[in-house]
Amino acid sequence: MCHDIGMTTITLGGTPVTTVGTLPASGSTLPSFTLVSPELKEVDSSSFKGKNVVLNIFPSVDTDVCSASVRRFNQIAEELKDTVVVCVSKDLPFAQGRFCGAEGITNVVVGSAFRSSFGEDFGVTMTSGDLQGLLSRSIVVADRNGVVTYTQQVPDIKQEPDYDAARKAVEALA
């Protein structure tokens, strides 16, 4: 299910950047996805059935704001019940694994969208600007039934997502 109706304009340090579409709407079904783990195994959305899902989507773990978001969601994930946090970028699985190992990241699932249509299916692939082809910084929360309950596309890629709003969205599902 591709969200290709229109596009979204965000910024990178104030410079306009467009994405391929829009995030899934609240109340819609979370698009299915397959990512690649640091061990080169498939991470399939169907394996999260029955759990709340938080998708932390970002351009690259090799940037300060992106790595900060993975660290923060790693802390948050430890406190959320029946919830899996999936950190998604187009980084190669090796880079994701190296980062998580070096940082002691163990409470989140990381997955690379480097060989999937994830960015197009979620409307987050950037189609212009210096980071063209990478994923925009976004959060998607879905409940145990796979229904989207909260989304945020961060207005400027250099800003961190609203962690408190994402946490509250998950806590409201309890």
Side-chain angles (χ1 to χ4, degrees), residues 28-59:
S28 69
T29 300
L30 184 72
S32 61
F33 58 87
T34 301
L35 304 168
V36 180
S37 77
E39 298 78 31
L40 301 178
K41 305 286 186 221
E42 287 192 350
V43 176
D44 189 276
S45 56
S46 66
S47 65
F48 306 129
K49 286 196 185 308
K51 291 186 178 274
N52 300 317
V53 176
V54 177
L55 298 176
N56 173 32
I57 306 164
F58 53 90

mmCIF file of all heavy atoms in Angstrom, residues 28-59:
data_model
loop_
_atom_site.group_PDB
_atom_site.id
_atom_site.type_symbol
_atom_site.label_atom_id
_atom_site.label_comp_id
_atom_site.label_asym_id
_atom_site.label_seq_id
_atom_site.Cartn_x
_atom_site.Cartn_y
_atom_site.Cartn_z
ATOM 1 N N SER A 28 -5.530 4.091 10.030
ATOM 2 C CA SER A 28 -5.259 3.180 8.912
ATOM 3 C C SER A 28 -4.457 1.980 9.402
ATOM 4 O O SER A 28 -3.923 1.972 10.509
ATOM 5 C CB SER A 28 -4.502 3.906 7.789
ATOM 6 O OG SER A 28 -3.179 4.226 8.190
ATOM 7 N N THR A 29 -4.394 0.967 8.571
ATOM 8 C CA THR A 29 -3.614 -0.223 8.901
ATOM 9 C C THR A 29 -2.138 0.057 8.628
ATOM 10 O O THR A 29 -1.791 0.615 7.582
ATOM 11 C CB THR A 29 -4.085 -1.421 8.063
ATOM 12 O OG1 THR A 29 -5.458 -1.655 8.356
ATOM 13 C CG2 THR A 29 -3.278 -2.670 8.373
ATOM 14 N N LEU A 30 -1.289 -0.334 9.578
ATOM 15 C CA LEU A 30 0.151 -0.178 9.398
ATOM 16 C C LEU A 30 0.578 -0.983 8.174
ATOM 17 O O LEU A 30 0.294 -2.183 8.094
ATOM 18 C CB LEU A 30 0.886 -0.701 10.642
ATOM 19 C CG LEU A 30 2.392 -0.525 10.677
ATOM 20 C CD1 LEU A 30 2.746 0.949 10.891
ATOM 21 C CD2 LEU A 30 3.003 -1.366 11.785
ATOM 22 N N PRO A 31 1.231 -0.350 7.194
ATOM 23 C CA PRO A 31 1.709 -1.122 6.041
ATOM 24 C C PRO A 31 2.653 -2.237 6.491
ATOM 25 O O PRO A 31 3.455 -2.046 7.409
ATOM 26 C CB PRO A 31 2.460 -0.089 5.199
ATOM 27 C CG PRO A 31 1.891 1.236 5.607
ATOM 28 C CD PRO A 31 1.555 1.077 7.065
ATOM 29 N N SER A 32 2.555 -3.387 5.862
ATOM 30 C CA SER A 32 3.497 -4.462 6.186
ATOM 31 C C SER A 32 4.865 -4.066 5.649
ATOM 32 O O SER A 32 4.976 -3.279 4.708
ATOM 33 C CB SER A 32 3.030 -5.788 5.601
ATOM 34 O OG SER A 32 2.951 -5.697 4.207
ATOM 35 N N PHE A 33 5.903 -4.598 6.271
ATOM 36 C CA PHE A 33 7.256 -4.257 5.847
ATOM 37 C C PHE A 33 8.203 -5.402 6.152
ATOM 38 O O PHE A 33 7.952 -6.227 7.030
ATOM 39 C CB PHE A 33 7.748 -2.965 6.517
ATOM 40 C CG PHE A 33 7.755 -3.002 8.022
ATOM 41 C CD1 PHE A 33 8.857 -3.486 8.722
ATOM 42 C CD2 PHE A 33 6.670 -2.539 8.743
ATOM 43 C CE1 PHE A 33 8.868 -3.514 10.113
ATOM 44 C CE2 PHE A 33 6.670 -2.561 10.136
ATOM 45 C CZ PHE A 33 7.774 -3.047 10.822
ATOM 46 N N THR A 34 9.293 -5.422 5.400
ATOM 47 C CA THR A 34 10.386 -6.353 5.635
ATOM 48 C C THR A 34 11.676 -5.547 5.598
ATOM 49 O O THR A 34 11.921 -4.805 4.644
ATOM 50 C CB THR A 34 10.422 -7.461 4.563
ATOM 51 O OG1 THR A 34 9.173 -8.152 4.592
ATOM 52 C CG2 THR A 34 11.542 -8.442 4.827
ATOM 53 N N LEU A 35 12.464 -5.680 6.641
ATOM 54 C CA LEU A 35 13.745 -4.997 6.754
ATOM 55 C C LEU A 35 14.839 -6.044 6.893
ATOM 56 O O LEU A 35 14.546 -7.241 6.951
ATOM 57 C CB LEU A 35 13.729 -4.082 7.989
ATOM 58 C CG LEU A 35 12.601 -3.048 8.028
ATOM 59 C CD1 LEU A 35 12.500 -2.407 9.412
ATOM 60 C CD2 LEU A 35 12.806 -1.987 6.958
ATOM 61 N N VAL A 36 16.090 -5.608 6.977
ATOM 62 C CA VAL A 36 17.212 -6.526 7.132
ATOM 63 C C VAL A 36 17.922 -6.222 8.451
ATOM 64 O O VAL A 36 18.298 -5.073 8.713
ATOM 65 C CB VAL A 36 18.199 -6.400 5.951
ATOM 66 C CG1 VAL A 36 19.373 -7.357 6.125
ATOM 67 C CG2 VAL A 36 17.494 -6.659 4.633
ATOM 68 N N SER A 37 18.103 -7.243 9.275
ATOM 69 C CA SER A 37 18.753 -7.082 10.581
ATOM 70 C C SER A 37 20.272 -7.011 10.406
ATOM 71 O O SER A 37 20.807 -7.372 9.353
ATOM 72 C CB SER A 37 18.406 -8.264 11.478
ATOM 73 O OG SER A 37 19.173 -9.401 11.101
ATOM 74 N N PRO A 38 20.984 -6.592 11.461
ATOM 75 C CA PRO A 38 22.450 -6.587 11.400
ATOM 76 C C PRO A 38 23.037 -7.975 11.123
ATOM 77 O O PRO A 38 24.157 -8.087 10.637
ATOM 78 C CB PRO A 38 22.867 -6.072 12.784
ATOM 79 C CG PRO A 38 21.725 -5.192 13.193
ATOM 80 C CD PRO A 38 20.502 -5.916 12.668
ATOM 81 N N GLU A 39 22.272 -9.038 11.411
ATOM 82 C CA GLU A 39 22.725 -10.405 11.130
ATOM 83 C C GLU A 39 22.324 -10.872 9.722
ATOM 84 O O GLU A 39 22.440 -12.048 9.404
ATOM 85 C CB GLU A 39 22.139 -11.373 12.172
ATOM 86 C CG GLU A 39 22.568 -11.095 13.596
ATOM 87 C CD GLU A 39 21.807 -9.923 14.235
ATOM 88 O OE1 GLU A 39 20.632 -9.692 13.902
ATOM 89 O OE2 GLU A 39 22.419 -9.224 15.051
ATOM 90 N N LEU A 40 21.819 -9.930 8.913
ATOM 91 C CA LEU A 40 21.374 -10.175 7.538
ATOM 92 C C LEU A 40 20.158 -11.098 7.464
ATOM 93 O O LEU A 40 19.948 -11.783 6.466
ATOM 94 C CB LEU A 40 22.518 -10.697 6.662
ATOM 95 C CG LEU A 40 23.722 -9.754 6.567
ATOM 96 C CD1 LEU A 40 24.821 -10.375 5.712
ATOM 97 C CD2 LEU A 40 23.314 -8.400 6.007
ATOM 98 N N LYS A 41 19.353 -11.110 8.511
ATOM 99 C CA LYS A 41 18.098 -11.868 8.534
ATOM 100 C C LYS A 41 16.953 -10.903 8.270
ATOM 101 O O LYS A 41 17.048 -9.708 8.567
ATOM 102 C CB LYS A 41 17.877 -12.533 9.902
ATOM 103 C CG LYS A 41 19.014 -13.410 10.365
ATOM 104 C CD LYS A 41 19.050 -14.707 9.605
ATOM 105 C CE LYS A 41 20.109 -15.636 10.182
ATOM 106 N NZ LYS A 41 20.867 -16.337 9.213
ATOM 107 N N GLU A 42 15.850 -11.425 7.749
ATOM 108 C CA GLU A 42 14.683 -10.581 7.512
ATOM 109 C C GLU A 42 13.995 -10.231 8.824
ATOM 110 O O GLU A 42 13.852 -11.070 9.712
ATOM 111 C CB GLU A 42 13.692 -11.269 6.576
ATOM 112 C CG GLU A 42 14.174 -11.302 5.155
ATOM 113 C CD GLU A 42 13.087 -11.708 4.171
ATOM 114 O OE1 GLU A 42 11.990 -12.147 4.597
ATOM 115 O OE2 GLU A 42 13.339 -11.576 2.964
ATOM 116 N N VAL A 43 13.610 -8.983 8.951
ATOM 117 C CA VAL A 43 12.793 -8.485 10.057
ATOM 118 C C VAL A 43 11.446 -8.166 9.439
ATOM 119 O O VAL A 43 11.304 -7.190 8.704
ATOM 120 C CB VAL A 43 13.413 -7.215 10.688
ATOM 121 C CG1 VAL A 43 12.504 -6.655 11.774
ATOM 122 C CG2 VAL A 43 14.806 -7.497 11.215
ATOM 123 N N ASP A 44 10.467 -9.020 9.687
ATOM 124 C CA ASP A 44 9.161 -8.905 9.046
ATOM 125 C C ASP A 44 8.143 -8.352 10.038
ATOM 126 O O ASP A 44 8.080 -8.808 11.178
ATOM 127 C CB ASP A 44 8.737 -10.294 8.547
ATOM 128 C CG ASP A 44 7.520 -10.227 7.683
ATOM 129 O OD1 ASP A 44 6.413 -10.220 8.236
ATOM 130 O OD2 ASP A 44 7.682 -10.167 6.453
ATOM 131 N N SER A 45 7.341 -7.415 9.599
ATOM 132 C CA SER A 45 6.355 -6.792 10.486
ATOM 133 C C SER A 45 5.394 -7.804 11.087
ATOM 134 O O SER A 45 4.898 -7.602 12.198
ATOM 135 C CB SER A 45 5.578 -5.708 9.741
ATOM 136 O OG SER A 45 4.969 -6.222 8.572
ATOM 137 N N SER A 46 5.149 -8.915 10.412
ATOM 138 C CA SER A 46 4.217 -9.913 10.949
ATOM 139 C C SER A 46 4.729 -10.534 12.248
ATOM 140 O O SER A 46 3.949 -11.038 13.049
ATOM 141 C CB SER A 46 3.929 -10.995 9.906
ATOM 142 O OG SER A 46 5.107 -11.731 9.636
ATOM 143 N N SER A 47 6.036 -10.451 12.487
ATOM 144 C CA SER A 47 6.580 -11.019 13.725
ATOM 145 C C SER A 47 6.244 -10.166 14.951
ATOM 146 O O SER A 47 6.478 -10.589 16.074
ATOM 147 C CB SER A 47 8.094 -11.206 13.609
ATOM 148 O OG SER A 47 8.738 -9.959 13.487
ATOM 149 N N PHE A 48 5.675 -8.977 14.728
ATOM 150 C CA PHE A 48 5.331 -8.089 15.834
ATOM 151 C C PHE A 48 3.835 -8.112 16.157
ATOM 152 O O PHE A 48 3.368 -7.317 16.971
ATOM 153 C CB PHE A 48 5.769 -6.653 15.529
ATOM 154 C CG PHE A 48 7.225 -6.538 15.156
ATOM 155 C CD1 PHE A 48 7.602 -5.872 14.006
ATOM 156 C CD2 PHE A 48 8.205 -7.113 15.942
ATOM 157 C CE1 PHE A 48 8.949 -5.771 13.657
ATOM 158 C CE2 PHE A 48 9.555 -7.022 15.599
ATOM 159 C CZ PHE A 48 9.916 -6.344 14.450
ATOM 160 N N LYS A 49 3.094 -9.021 15.517
ATOM 161 C CA LYS A 49 1.653 -9.098 15.771
ATOM 162 C C LYS A 49 1.397 -9.310 17.263
ATOM 163 O O LYS A 49 2.115 -10.042 17.924
ATOM 164 C CB LYS A 49 1.018 -10.226 14.970
ATOM 165 C CG LYS A 49 0.893 -9.905 13.496
ATOM 166 C CD LYS A 49 -0.074 -10.837 12.811
ATOM 167 C CE LYS A 49 -0.137 -10.631 11.322
ATOM 168 N NZ LYS A 49 -0.366 -9.290 10.867
ATOM 169 N N GLY A 50 0.373 -8.623 17.771
ATOM 170 C CA GLY A 50 0.026 -8.742 19.181
ATOM 171 C C GLY A 50 0.804 -7.797 20.079
ATOM 172 O O GLY A 50 0.605 -7.786 21.286
ATOM 173 N N LYS A 51 1.704 -7.013 19.496
ATOM 174 C CA LYS A 51 2.471 -6.025 20.265
ATOM 175 C C LYS A 51 2.219 -4.638 19.683
ATOM 176 O O LYS A 51 1.940 -4.498 18.486
ATOM 177 C CB LYS A 51 3.971 -6.308 20.194
ATOM 178 C CG LYS A 51 4.409 -7.551 20.927
ATOM 179 C CD LYS A 51 5.921 -7.646 20.915
ATOM 180 C CE LYS A 51 6.386 -8.856 21.687
ATOM 181 N NZ LYS A 51 6.529 -8.601 23.104
ATOM 182 N N ASN A 52 2.328 -3.633 20.531
ATOM 183 C CA ASN A 52 2.346 -2.263 20.032
ATOM 184 C C ASN A 52 3.676 -2.083 19.307
ATOM 185 O O ASN A 52 4.685 -2.665 19.707
ATOM 186 C CB ASN A 52 2.258 -1.264 21.186
ATOM 187 C CG ASN A 52 0.985 -1.437 21.995
ATOM 188 O OD1 ASN A 52 -0.091 -1.625 21.441
ATOM 189 N ND2 ASN A 52 1.111 -1.377 23.307
ATOM 190 N N VAL A 53 3.670 -1.283 18.256
ATOM 191 C CA VAL A 53 4.881 -1.063 17.462
ATOM 192 C C VAL A 53 5.169 0.428 17.375
ATOM 193 O O VAL A 53 4.266 1.230 17.088
ATOM 194 C CB VAL A 53 4.730 -1.637 16.035
ATOM 195 C CG1 VAL A 53 5.948 -1.312 15.177
ATOM 196 C CG2 VAL A 53 4.503 -3.144 16.086
ATOM 197 N N VAL A 54 6.415 0.792 17.658
ATOM 198 C CA VAL A 54 6.885 2.156 17.453
ATOM 199 C C VAL A 54 7.963 2.080 16.383
ATOM 200 O O VAL A 54 8.955 1.356 16.552
ATOM 201 C CB VAL A 54 7.482 2.767 18.742
ATOM 202 C CG1 VAL A 54 8.024 4.166 18.463
ATOM 203 C CG2 VAL A 54 6.467 2.781 19.864
ATOM 204 N N LEU A 55 7.763 2.797 15.290
ATOM 205 C CA LEU A 55 8.781 2.885 14.251
ATOM 206 C C LEU A 55 9.517 4.210 14.424
ATOM 207 O O LEU A 55 8.913 5.275 14.337
ATOM 208 C CB LEU A 55 8.147 2.823 12.858
ATOM 209 C CG LEU A 55 7.402 1.542 12.511
ATOM 210 C CD1 LEU A 55 6.747 1.676 11.138
ATOM 211 C CD2 LEU A 55 8.328 0.341 12.546
ATOM 212 N N ASN A 56 10.813 4.132 14.702
ATOM 213 C CA ASN A 56 11.686 5.297 14.770
ATOM 214 C C ASN A 56 12.432 5.314 13.439
ATOM 215 O O ASN A 56 13.352 4.533 13.236
ATOM 216 C CB ASN A 56 12.649 5.165 15.951
ATOM 217 C CG ASN A 56 13.690 6.264 15.972
ATOM 218 O OD1 ASN A 56 13.439 7.385 15.550
ATOM 219 N ND2 ASN A 56 14.888 5.939 16.450
ATOM 220 N N ILE A 57 12.015 6.193 12.542
ATOM 221 C CA ILE A 57 12.536 6.233 11.169
ATOM 222 C C ILE A 57 13.473 7.445 11.057
ATOM 223 O O ILE A 57 13.136 8.537 11.523
ATOM 224 C CB ILE A 57 11.367 6.364 10.167
ATOM 225 C CG1 ILE A 57 10.341 5.239 10.401
ATOM 226 C CG2 ILE A 57 11.879 6.378 8.735
ATOM 227 C CD1 ILE A 57 8.990 5.480 9.747
ATOM 228 N N PHE A 58 14.627 7.256 10.416
ATOM 229 C CA PHE A 58 15.606 8.344 10.349
ATOM 230 C C PHE A 58 16.560 8.137 9.176
ATOM 231 O O PHE A 58 16.656 7.040 8.639
ATOM 232 C CB PHE A 58 16.382 8.441 11.672
ATOM 233 C CG PHE A 58 16.997 7.143 12.099
ATOM 234 C CD1 PHE A 58 18.275 6.793 11.695
ATOM 235 C CD2 PHE A 58 16.293 6.250 12.896
ATOM 236 C CE1 PHE A 58 18.848 5.592 12.086
ATOM 237 C CE2 PHE A 58 16.847 5.048 13.296
ATOM 238 C CZ PHE A 58 18.130 4.720 12.890
ATOM 239 N N PRO A 59 17.313 9.203 8.787
ATOM 240 C CA PRO A 59 18.221 9.096 7.643
ATOM 241 C C PRO A 59 19.412 8.161 7.850
ATOM 242 O O PRO A 59 19.654 7.276 7.042
ATOM 243 C CB PRO A 59 18.700 10.529 7.419
ATOM 244 C CG PRO A 59 17.671 11.393 8.052
ATOM 245 C CD PRO A 59 17.140 10.604 9.219
#
